[in-house]
Amino acid sequence: AQSVTQLDSQVPVFEEAPVELRCNYSSSVSVYLFWYVQYPNQGLQLLLKYLSGSTLVESINGFEAEFNKSQTSFHLRKPSVHISDTAEYFCAVFATYGGSQGNLIFGKGTKLSVKP
Amino acid sequence: DAGITQSPRHKVTETGTPVTLRCHQTENHRYMYWYRQDPGHGLRLIHYSYGVKDTDKGEVSDGYSVSRSKTEDFLLTLESATSSQTSVYFCAISESIGSGPNEQFFGPGTRLTVL
């Protein structure tokens, strides 16, 4: 079965510092990976996704993630964080079964806290 | 924003009471999902639907049932609520997968407290 491990439950960081949120997944033939962000008292929003092609994917707000097949990782990075990046971040893998059907398997989340 | 609403947004109920949560979409997406979110567990899939009257169980389906009689509505029912079902419930939708998974869009959530 597919699984996702987010290695840090909480990451405190100062504003304008770089940050890396770590995510490892269980190996599978076809891998589709996602990062979602949840701001306080809101639902989840897609931040970025890897389906195929370039192993480095970027979001519109400065985050990027790199798919590393050999290390089965999909770490999320940002070179300089803002207070507004404070949120919980979820890594997810799409688990396929029986043709094109499948579901997202989520990690337990990493709470990013950006301090002034 | 994807047109997904959940009702009610907050509910407090007592153990043993039946509860129904509603998810409504205006996107005409084929797939709909119910997740629960608990601290330290992330999101876990309860049930999902791949079409009208087509549903299947997820990871944590015990104690829950679902129904989908129309494309736009996906109902989650707790037949007899228990305190362990206190959680935040999220509905999500996505379109046909095709050659790979499409993005899931999430609703605003329903906070359920079972006393």
Side-chain angles (χ1 to χ4, degrees), chain A residues 3-5 7 20-27 31-35 50 55-57 65-77 91-92:
Chain A
S3 66
V4 174
T5 301
L7 298 165
E20 178 180 79
L21 307 184
R22 296 179 292 170
C23 173
N24 288 90
Y25 63 92
S26 62
S27 180
V31 179
Y32 305 107
L33 295 160
F34 302 79
W35 275 101
Y50 170 80
T55 58
L56 184 66
V57 291
E66 185 166 16
F67 169 58
N68 189 319
K69 187 174 182 179
S70 63
Q71 298 185 8
T72 62
S73 68
F74 191 54
H75 301 333
L76 182 69
R77 302 183 180 96
C91 182

Side-chain angles (χ1 to χ4, degrees), chain B residues 12-111:
Chain B
V12 180
T13 190
E14 294 186 350
T15 299
T17 303
V19 176
T20 295
L21 309 182
R22 180 179 183 240
C23 177
H24 179 78
Q25 62 149 326
T26 58
E27 305 295 324
N28 201 36
H29 282 5
R30 177 183 176 188
Y31 295 86
M32 299 186 75
Y33 311 82
W34 276 108
Y35 293 89
R36 60 177 290 174
Q37 183 180 25
D38 304 288
H41 290 277
L43 275 81
R44 293 178 292 175
L45 183 66
I46 304 171
H47 281 280
Y48 66 98
S49 169
Y50 46 96
V52 173
K53 297 186 179 179
D54 291 324
T55 65
D56 207 346
K57 296 178 180 180
E59 178 188 357
V60 290
S61 60
D62 288 348
Y64 302 95
S65 62
V66 290
S67 66
R68 191 169 178 198
S69 58
K70 299 183 291 184
T71 299
E72 57 266 35
D73 290 325
F74 192 33
L75 304 180
L76 176 70
T77 297
L78 291 65
E79 299 291 347
S80 178
T82 67
S83 58
S84 64
Q85 294 176 311
T86 292
S87 186
V88 181
Y89 291 85
F90 286 99
C91 174
I93 64 173
S94 69
E95 193 35 86
S96 298
I97 295 175
S99 60
N102 286 328
E103 176 181 353
Q104 287 190 17
F105 299 92
F106 284 80
T110 293
R111 185 174 296 275

Side-chain angles (χ1 to χ4, degrees), chain A residues 32 34 36 38 41-46 49 51 88 90 94 97 100-109, chain B residues 9 31 33 35 37 40-43 45 48 50 90 97-108 111:
Chain A
Y32 305 107
F34 302 79
Y36 280 82
Q38 183 180 32
N41 299 313
Q42 295 185 25
L44 278 71
Q45 304 170 35
L46 181 67
K49 61 184 177 184
L51 302 182
E88 190 160 17
F90 292 93
F94 188 82
Y97 50 85
S100 62
Q101 292 189 40
N103 293 303
L104 286 176
I105 306 296
F106 285 88
K108 295 182 178 181
Chain B
R9 293 292 314 280
Y31 295 86
Y33 311 82
Y35 293 89
Q37 183 180 25
H41 290 277
L43 275 81
L45 183 66
Y48 66 98
Y50 46 96
F90 286 99
I97 295 175
S99 60
N102 286 328
E103 176 181 353
Q104 287 190 17
F105 299 92
F106 284 80
R111 185 174 296 275

